[in-house]
Amino acid sequence: MGFDPDDISSNRSGNTPFAKVVADRYSRRDVMRGGTVAATGFLLTGMTGTTVNAHPAKDGKSALLGFEAVPPSEEDKVTVPEGYSATVLLPWGHPLRSDGPSWAKDASNTVEEAAQQVGSHHDGMHFFPLGRGKDASEHGLLVVNHEYVDTTLLYTDGDEEMTQEKVDKALASHGVTIVEVRLVDGQWQVVDSDRNRKVTPTTPVEFSGPVPVDYPELQARDSQARGTINNCSHGVTPWNTYLACEENFNSYFGTDDGSWEPNQLQRRYGINSEGFGYRWHEVDPRFDVAQNPRELNRFGWVVEIDPFDTDHTPVKRTALGRVKHEGATVTESRARVVVYTGDDQDGDYIYKFVGDKPWRSVRAKGNSPLDEGTLYVARFDDDGGGEWLPLVFGEGPLGSDNGWTGQADVLLRTREAADALGATPMDRPEWIAVQPGTQDVFCSLTNGELGEGDANPRNPNSYGHIIKWHEKNGHNTATTFTWDIFVLAGDPAYDDAVELDEDSIFGSPDGLWFDPDGRLWIQTDVSNSVQNDPDAGYDNIGNNQMLAADPDSGEIRRFLTGPKGAEITGVITTPDQRTMLINVQHPGEETATIGEPTPQDPRAVSNWPDFDPDGRPRSATVVIRKDDGGVIGT
Ligand code: FEO
Ligand code: CA
Ligand code: CA
């Protein structure tokens, strides 16, 4: 469809763009060369922290990566290496229970039916084992985020006419799906369970932490705060709960009130009168930003869901801040929880939350470790160092003399507080992953336009890159770090700073996840406005894909390619690493080089995965297994 509202910066703080920082550190020629950096033996100079990526792989091949690369593909299918299989498990519209409403391939499922089916546009995902030992890898709860909907594909007649029923069907198709799954005779299947359910934008929610539910700025038309929306990536806590993150919440709101203008805060969060163009506000006053402006303030949070407890009310953990959260990657350091989050918009920031006390002792007192702690925002310095700047009321520029009224105010206006602290604008921070062992942190910067001048290695940075940092003493609780570039994405045919090859070229890294062995899985979301377009330098890269990287040698190899118009996202394995689950999101979306689906021809771009001549493309969770039953990636 090509709308990427997060491509457009709403940061007018004037803080130094990350691309400028990179430019200041390296001449173009010196920029680290991605996947083949090990072979060149290139070592960054001037670094005060660890220099990873500099250990040559044995015989040029990483022992971590045991599969043969799949070639780039423009085909309408999922491709995995020889010796692997990929099977669809959980497509949009699949009934949550076997006696539930079946998928209507003409999109005629009603609101009530959609509420009993798997949502659309699968994104972040986790597998929570049920049982122990072998059973933990063959039986579990699958929790899947549903980021948005395609309003052409969601309705039989498209979205030209907007009705409350259409809004309600879209709402029922957003949120989070929880289903129990089991491996039976070598096949994963959804099993009937009382735990199978959904959290949607209409589910009642609680607020916890420094911004209470009765905070004046949270008072909106509906006295009950409801729901979560645009759930992109996610997190998992050490106490086995799921964190659904709210990303482009701004884009659901709009107004036909010609006299409405966004205020400073709304502007900073990218609120405008059109949003995604869903036009829900035309029929549902909840989403009219002029009539119901404080509804907006109920979104942009991280939402904790207990997948095991069907009576649990989802809780918005306000201490983690209010931004367009891509994800919320949780790790432990010195017995505290540390939560990393990227604010995915061009020119926005990377944050981390550090718990005040050991998380076990907080929980022993009946409190949440996510309610008590400090939120920081990152400043990346051009000497290779960096600092975490605390977003604490009364500290630095965040005092009452500058108009701040308390910690709730700082958190509700997280972006403005981070601006005031001098955080470093980044090229759209997406997923964040913590390397097992080293505890080094990797973040996808999917693309951006903020760099300036010839000295900038990539300005505009249309292919994106992955940055990594080492927290002082390897403690994720630290307030300083050293950073490095792990890889510049792209195609050397168009950008000689890129040293990837045909087995590893990719663009716009998005999903990032370390498996327990330390393989870094990289998933891509190249915009359909440039996908496979030679004029944009994307004709060799093919459809969106997933690659695996050896974080120490820097070697990267393509593992999977997706169908037309789709991004690849969401990745997790069972504890034994013999089943991998990934998501194919938005197959068949409008793609500049292919076309545009219409209500009459929803298959104009893709017909994955059903290939039904009367059907339509749909997002789905895919199971990957090795034919010999081995560990994925070996
Ligand atoms: Fe929802 Fe930033 O991807
Ligand atoms: Ca993403
Ligand atoms: Ca995305």
Side-chain angles (χ1 to χ4, degrees), residues 123 147 232 247 326 344 430-431 510-511 525 567 569:
D123 208 324
E147 190 180 27
C232 192
E247 194 190 19
E326 175 74 18
D344 182 9
E430 301 253 19
W431 288 47
D510 189 346
D525 182 14
E567 72 170 269
T569 184

PDB file of all heavy atoms in Angstrom, residues 123 147 232 247 326 344 430-431 510-511 525 567 569, ligand 2:
ATOM      1  N   ASP A 123       2.035 -10.019  13.682  1.00  0.00           N
ATOM      2  CA  ASP A 123       3.342  -9.370  13.861  1.00  0.00           C
ATOM      3  C   ASP A 123       4.127 -10.073  14.971  1.00  0.00           C
ATOM      4  O   ASP A 123       4.383 -11.274  14.884  1.00  0.00           O
ATOM      5  CB  ASP A 123       3.142  -7.863  14.099  1.00  0.00           C
ATOM      6  CG  ASP A 123       4.328  -7.048  13.635  1.00  0.00           C
ATOM      7  OD1 ASP A 123       5.467  -7.529  13.770  1.00  0.00           O
ATOM      8  OD2 ASP A 123       4.149  -5.931  13.142  1.00  0.00           O
ATOM      9  N   GLU A 147      -1.252  -6.304  13.845  1.00  0.00           N
ATOM     10  CA  GLU A 147      -0.864  -4.902  13.812  1.00  0.00           C
ATOM     11  C   GLU A 147      -1.918  -3.983  13.205  1.00  0.00           C
ATOM     12  O   GLU A 147      -2.238  -2.959  13.752  1.00  0.00           O
ATOM     13  CB  GLU A 147       0.461  -4.748  13.061  1.00  0.00           C
ATOM     14  CG  GLU A 147       1.028  -3.331  13.220  1.00  0.00           C
ATOM     15  CD  GLU A 147       2.339  -3.138  12.500  1.00  0.00           C
ATOM     16  OE1 GLU A 147       2.587  -3.832  11.495  1.00  0.00           O
ATOM     17  OE2 GLU A 147       3.116  -2.283  12.929  1.00  0.00           O
ATOM     18  N   CYS A 232       2.563  -4.117  17.412  1.00  0.00           N
ATOM     19  CA  CYS A 232       3.630  -4.420  16.474  1.00  0.00           C
ATOM     20  C   CYS A 232       4.474  -5.550  17.049  1.00  0.00           C
ATOM     21  O   CYS A 232       4.078  -6.704  17.029  1.00  0.00           O
ATOM     22  CB  CYS A 232       4.414  -3.142  16.222  1.00  0.00           C
ATOM     23  SG  CYS A 232       5.529  -3.294  14.846  1.00  0.00           S
ATOM     24  N   GLU A 247       2.090   0.664  18.583  1.00  0.00           N
ATOM     25  CA  GLU A 247       2.979   1.438  17.719  1.00  0.00           C
ATOM     26  C   GLU A 247       2.238   2.638  17.107  1.00  0.00           C
ATOM     27  O   GLU A 247       2.053   3.645  17.766  1.00  0.00           O
ATOM     28  CB  GLU A 247       3.612   0.530  16.648  1.00  0.00           C
ATOM     29  CG  GLU A 247       4.806   1.199  15.947  1.00  0.00           C
ATOM     30  CD  GLU A 247       5.298   0.428  14.730  1.00  0.00           C
ATOM     31  OE1 GLU A 247       4.548  -0.407  14.198  1.00  0.00           O
ATOM     32  OE2 GLU A 247       6.436   0.679  14.279  1.00  0.00           O
ATOM     33  N   GLU A 326       7.816  -0.013  19.109  1.00  0.00           N
ATOM     34  CA  GLU A 326       7.945  -1.164  18.224  1.00  0.00           C
ATOM     35  C   GLU A 326       7.825  -2.432  19.054  1.00  0.00           C
ATOM     36  O   GLU A 326       7.032  -3.312  18.743  1.00  0.00           O
ATOM     37  CB  GLU A 326       9.306  -1.126  17.522  1.00  0.00           C
ATOM     38  CG  GLU A 326       9.601  -2.348  16.673  1.00  0.00           C
ATOM     39  CD  GLU A 326       8.808  -2.364  15.390  1.00  0.00           C
ATOM     40  OE1 GLU A 326       8.288  -1.318  14.985  1.00  0.00           O
ATOM     41  OE2 GLU A 326       8.709  -3.441  14.782  1.00  0.00           O
ATOM     42  N   ASP A 344       9.395   3.717  16.827  1.00  0.00           N
ATOM     43  CA  ASP A 344       9.562   3.605  15.375  1.00  0.00           C
ATOM     44  C   ASP A 344       8.930   4.748  14.609  1.00  0.00           C
ATOM     45  O   ASP A 344       7.797   4.653  14.131  1.00  0.00           O
ATOM     46  CB  ASP A 344       9.006   2.275  14.861  1.00  0.00           C
ATOM     47  CG  ASP A 344       9.227   2.166  13.353  1.00  0.00           C
ATOM     48  OD1 ASP A 344       9.937   3.026  12.794  1.00  0.00           O
ATOM     49  OD2 ASP A 344       8.688   1.226  12.742  1.00  0.00           O
ATOM     50  N   GLU A 430      13.493  -0.233  15.210  1.00  0.00           N
ATOM     51  CA  GLU A 430      12.496  -1.312  15.200  1.00  0.00           C
ATOM     52  C   GLU A 430      12.831  -2.300  16.318  1.00  0.00           C
ATOM     53  O   GLU A 430      12.980  -1.916  17.458  1.00  0.00           O
ATOM     54  CB  GLU A 430      12.452  -1.966  13.813  1.00  0.00           C
ATOM     55  CG  GLU A 430      12.106  -0.962  12.696  1.00  0.00           C
ATOM     56  CD  GLU A 430      10.700  -1.125  12.142  1.00  0.00           C
ATOM     57  OE1 GLU A 430       9.852  -1.741  12.803  1.00  0.00           O
ATOM     58  OE2 GLU A 430      10.448  -0.631  11.040  1.00  0.00           O
ATOM     59  N   TRP A 431      12.950  -3.600  15.977  1.00  0.00           N
ATOM     60  CA  TRP A 431      13.136  -4.594  17.033  1.00  0.00           C
ATOM     61  C   TRP A 431      14.504  -4.464  17.700  1.00  0.00           C
ATOM     62  O   TRP A 431      15.476  -4.025  17.081  1.00  0.00           O
ATOM     63  CB  TRP A 431      13.036  -6.002  16.460  1.00  0.00           C
ATOM     64  CG  TRP A 431      11.664  -6.444  16.045  1.00  0.00           C
ATOM     65  CD1 TRP A 431      10.769  -5.745  15.296  1.00  0.00           C
ATOM     66  CD2 TRP A 431      11.054  -7.706  16.331  1.00  0.00           C
ATOM     67  NE1 TRP A 431       9.637  -6.498  15.092  1.00  0.00           N
ATOM     68  CE2 TRP A 431       9.791  -7.701  15.718  1.00  0.00           C
ATOM     69  CE3 TRP A 431      11.459  -8.847  17.036  1.00  0.00           C
ATOM     70  CZ2 TRP A 431       8.913  -8.807  15.793  1.00  0.00           C
ATOM     71  CZ3 TRP A 431      10.596  -9.930  17.108  1.00  0.00           C
ATOM     72  CH2 TRP A 431       9.334  -9.906  16.499  1.00  0.00           C
ATOM     73  N   ASP A 510      13.956  -5.350  10.238  1.00  0.00           N
ATOM     74  CA  ASP A 510      12.868  -5.005  11.151  1.00  0.00           C
ATOM     75  C   ASP A 510      12.897  -6.008  12.316  1.00  0.00           C
ATOM     76  O   ASP A 510      13.482  -5.741  13.356  1.00  0.00           O
ATOM     77  CB  ASP A 510      11.548  -5.027  10.364  1.00  0.00           C
ATOM     78  CG  ASP A 510      10.368  -4.476  11.138  1.00  0.00           C
ATOM     79  OD1 ASP A 510      10.466  -4.319  12.358  1.00  0.00           O
ATOM     80  OD2 ASP A 510       9.313  -4.213  10.522  1.00  0.00           O
ATOM     81  N   GLY A 511      12.350  -7.223  12.125  1.00  0.00           N
ATOM     82  CA  GLY A 511      12.390  -8.219  13.188  1.00  0.00           C
ATOM     83  C   GLY A 511      13.816  -8.652  13.506  1.00  0.00           C
ATOM     84  O   GLY A 511      14.634  -8.836  12.599  1.00  0.00           O
ATOM     85  N   ASP A 525      11.340  -5.772   6.260  1.00  0.00           N
ATOM     86  CA  ASP A 525      10.083  -5.125   5.886  1.00  0.00           C
ATOM     87  C   ASP A 525      10.382  -3.979   4.924  1.00  0.00           C
ATOM     88  O   ASP A 525      10.222  -2.811   5.262  1.00  0.00           O
ATOM     89  CB  ASP A 525       9.357  -4.623   7.136  1.00  0.00           C
ATOM     90  CG  ASP A 525       8.022  -3.979   6.793  1.00  0.00           C
ATOM     91  OD1 ASP A 525       7.543  -4.166   5.653  1.00  0.00           O
ATOM     92  OD2 ASP A 525       7.458  -3.292   7.660  1.00  0.00           O
ATOM     93  N   GLU A 567       5.573  -8.637   4.405  1.00  0.00           N
ATOM     94  CA  GLU A 567       6.779  -8.555   5.204  1.00  0.00           C
ATOM     95  C   GLU A 567       6.878  -9.850   6.012  1.00  0.00           C
ATOM     96  O   GLU A 567       5.878 -10.553   6.212  1.00  0.00           O
ATOM     97  CB  GLU A 567       6.773  -7.348   6.141  1.00  0.00           C
ATOM     98  CG  GLU A 567       5.817  -7.445   7.313  1.00  0.00           C
ATOM     99  CD  GLU A 567       6.004  -6.334   8.357  1.00  0.00           C
ATOM    100  OE1 GLU A 567       6.774  -6.513   9.302  1.00  0.00           O
ATOM    101  OE2 GLU A 567       5.320  -5.290   8.220  1.00  0.00           O
ATOM    102  N   THR A 569       7.869 -11.270   9.711  1.00  0.00           N
ATOM    103  CA  THR A 569       7.999 -10.737  11.068  1.00  0.00           C
ATOM    104  C   THR A 569       7.643 -11.815  12.072  1.00  0.00           C
ATOM    105  O   THR A 569       7.156 -12.892  11.709  1.00  0.00           O
ATOM    106  CB  THR A 569       7.117  -9.479  11.238  1.00  0.00           C
ATOM    107  OG1 THR A 569       7.328  -8.924  12.541  1.00  0.00           O
ATOM    108  CG2 THR A 569       5.642  -9.803  11.066  1.00  0.00           C
TER     109      THR A 569
HETATM  110 CA    CA B   2       8.022  -3.969  12.638  1.00  0.00          CA
END
